[in-house]
Amino acid sequence: IPPQKCPLQGTGSVLTMMLPVLVLALALQRSPADCSRRALLRRAATAGLANAAALSGGPARAIVNGDSVSDAEAAATGSVGLWIDLSGCSVCRKDKPATCSGTLVAPTLVLSARHCLDTPRMLNGTLERVVFGSDMFGAGASRDVVAVKSTSDYGIETAGNDLLLLKLSSPAPKEWRVVELPLGLLPSKEEQEEARRKGSPFYPDGLGFPSLATYGYGQQSTKGTTDPAAYSAGQLRRLGVSVQTEIRPWAAGFLTKPVDRNTGTCAGDSGGGALAFVQDPKGRGIRQFLVGVQAVASLPCEENQQVFVNPAAFSEFLLQASRDLGSPLQ
């Protein structure tokens, strides 16, 4: 099924869902960097791209022309693949699954995109299991998906609501690192106003426009989205993206574009995480935060743009859904 296209207000680009259907329209406005931010937040992700590159043992290859990722890097960044069985779909290719991507946020919880569940259901497909490893078709470990909670389960139908929590049948392999969610990392609008009234010298209102690392198991070329013979999903890749609209804790999402020419994200990268890396002020090394979940991107896949949902803007959903799944997030 060819990806569906939709306009993104304010960008002039045409966007497509990573796994087709479910239109996401976010009115994202770029604002100038605020000089009130301090050095801690400005360290996010630029150091992280170098940190992620240091984990990789392979040469440059694809998300679309991204970097190959070793099992060690997949584990260190909490990256996982979502295996979607299409054997019940009458119009789908039967010998290959559909794929989405995700990030481990608790030993038994994975955060991904809501349309990775909704779209397969419309095609009589099943989000069956989560795969651990850089190659979804290799001999890596997997865990069955035993329960899910999406924003729709809680009546959240606002723009940017493309989030899904998956409960695993058992904890992830011990090598897989849980990635922190930035819930409460930055102050709310109300807390900022109070800080200003009190003359506080420090009230960061966002992460600015950092470079981030994103991970995905999607197609490695635009051709793979429409030509079964060019299927190339299932191999984890890393891509550097630069943020084009400011990341704020109350904003539903943000826009990115690839750092390098001739690169991009493609079908199957939906749900993949955008990671920011921050130097811990207490000297405990680099902390990595999941600041975005990939929801939509433009075609062609090469040199395209992406929209990421901001988990911090949906903190109430994440906290309640994780409790309901029996694995409360902190």
Side-chain angles (χ1 to χ4, degrees), residues 42-54 210-212 276-279 286:
R42 288 175 178 166
R43 292 192 187 107
T46 45
L49 288 175
N51 183 62
S211 292
L212 308 173
F277 300 79
V278 179
Q279 182 69 47
I286 297 290

Side-chain angles (χ1 to χ4, degrees), residues 202-282:
F202 181 56
Y203 41 88
D205 58 1
L207 287 177
F209 303 95
S211 292
L212 308 173
T214 186
Y215 291 82
Y217 289 85
Q219 299 289 343
Q220 298 177 26
S221 71
T222 302
K223 189 176 181 181
T225 66
T226 56
D227 183 356
Y231 182 96
S232 56
Q235 306 294 318
L236 183 61
R237 298 290 182 257
R238 169 177 24 90
L239 181 70
V241 294
S242 61
V243 174
Q244 303 300 296
T245 55
E246 187 140 20
I247 302 175
R248 297 180 183 272
W250 56 84
F254 55 91
L255 182 71
T256 68
K257 68 177 183 179
V259 172
D260 296 324
R261 292 179 59 84
N262 300 316
T263 63
T265 60
C266 209
D269 292 324
S270 281
L275 303 187
F277 300 79
V278 179
Q279 182 69 47
D280 191 293
K282 296 184 179 180

Side-chain angles (χ1 to χ4, degrees), residues 186-211:
L186 294 170
S188 65
K189 285 185 176 180
E190 292 76 17
E191 289 170 330
Q192 284 188 52
E193 288 303 318
E194 182 179 0
R196 290 188 178 99
R197 285 195 299 270
K198 292 181 177 180
S200 170
F202 181 56
Y203 41 88
D205 58 1
L207 287 177
F209 303 95
S211 292

Side-chain angles (χ1 to χ4, degrees), residues 3 15 111 147 166 244 283 290:
L15 299 176
L111 184 59
L166 298 88
Q244 303 300 296
L290 178 61

